[in-house]
Amino acid sequence: EQAVAAAAAADAGYVELESAQRAVAEARASAAEAESIAREFQATVRETRTHADQSQAALRAEATALRADAEAREKQLSGLLAVETSARAKLESELRETQSTVRGEVSTLEAALR
């Protein structure tokens, strides 16, 4: 009887050991799967960061180019405004001179007609 009880206890212990081994194997498989998922996530994060860095660099370069273009256009417009101002002043001066000449000629003609 004691031998039967000891055998039964040994069988129960063996079953318990097998169950614990299965639980350990399942836990290891779950841990391996979790590690794999974590590695994939980290790779995705790295790719996303790389893409974001590249996008930011491209946007910075585009902003710099646009800023330089705007500054060049501003200088060009400033130069055109200076030319326009100078031309306007010259034309106004010529107009005043012409008006003065015409007035003088009109006065001379009027005097001659009298």
Side-chain angles (χ1 to χ4, degrees), residues 28-77:
R28 285 183 181 153
S30 292
E33 184 178 348
E35 287 174 3
S36 174
I37 291 170
R39 281 191 299 274
E40 288 176 19
F41 177 73
Q42 288 171 345
T44 301
V45 168
R46 281 191 299 275
E47 289 172 11
T48 302
R49 284 183 182 157
T50 299
H51 180 68
D53 290 345
Q54 291 169 346
S55 295
Q56 286 179 351
L59 288 172
R60 281 190 204 105
E62 185 177 355
T64 300
L66 289 171
R67 197 174 302 116
D69 186 48
E71 289 172 0
R73 287 176 188 246
E74 185 178 344
K75 287 179 184 177
Q76 183 182 21
L77 285 174

